[in-house]
Amino acid sequence: QVQLVESGGGLVQAGGSLRLSCAASGRTFSPYVMGWFRQAPGKERMFVASIRWSGGVTEYADSGKGRFTISRDNAKNTVYLQMNSLKPEDTAVYYCAASSTIATMRTTTYDYWGQGTQVTVSS
């Protein structure tokens, strides 16, 4: 069983930065891709960014391109999301997810999810 635990969320002013972390644990943790998603109140959970565990190929949603950077530390089984120039519309619960088979932007292709961490950006 794989467990994902996010941290690093909080309240920040517009223009500020936050760095989210997602620590993974499990007897045999070897995902194909790790992703970050977010869900604002009353809205669907949306793709933010992903990174392939081997090779580090990244993909970003348009909303975060140029502002967000996803990275990973394979030795620590941890993935990060550095978020800069935050905007009020970035306010959401951010979720970490892992897929063992395929890299897509669809929530349905991810096998494991964290509990989420709240990010609130004030104007």
Side-chain angles (χ1 to χ4, degrees):
Q1 186 72 12
V2 173
Q3 290 186 324
L4 305 176
V5 179
E6 302 98 334
S7 61
L11 173 64
V12 64
Q13 288 187 332
S17 300
L18 282 175
R19 187 194 195 203
L20 306 183
S21 300
C22 173
S25 62
R27 190 161 58 92
T28 54
F29 181 71
S30 182
Y32 180 73
V33 63
M34 296 290 294
W36 285 98
F37 290 76
R38 68 186 186 186
Q39 188 166 18
K43 295 188 176 181
E44 294 183 353
R45 192 170 297 188
M46 302 294 292
F47 173 80
V48 176
S50 66
I51 186 166
R52 300 196 187 179
W53 203 244
S54 177
V57 174
T58 58
E59 192 167 10
Y60 295 91
D62 289 343
S63 59
K65 284 181 180 177
R67 300 188 298 127
F68 295 176
T69 302
I70 188 170
S71 61
R72 87 248 190 259
D73 185 331
N74 295 50
K76 295 182 178 180
N77 282 350
T78 300
V79 63
Y80 306 97
L81 184 67
Q82 177 68 43
M83 303 187 294
N84 299 327
S85 302
L86 283 162
K87 306 174 183 179
E89 51 264 44
D90 293 319
T91 295
V93 177
Y94 283 70
Y95 296 91
C96 172
S99 171
S100 57
T101 56
I102 190 171
T104 77
M105 296 183 180
R106 300 192 303 271
T107 59
T108 53
T109 58
Y110 286 79
D111 308 298
Y112 302 100
W113 292 85
Q115 81 289 349
T117 185
Q118 176 70 47
V119 171
T120 303
V121 184
S122 63
S123 57

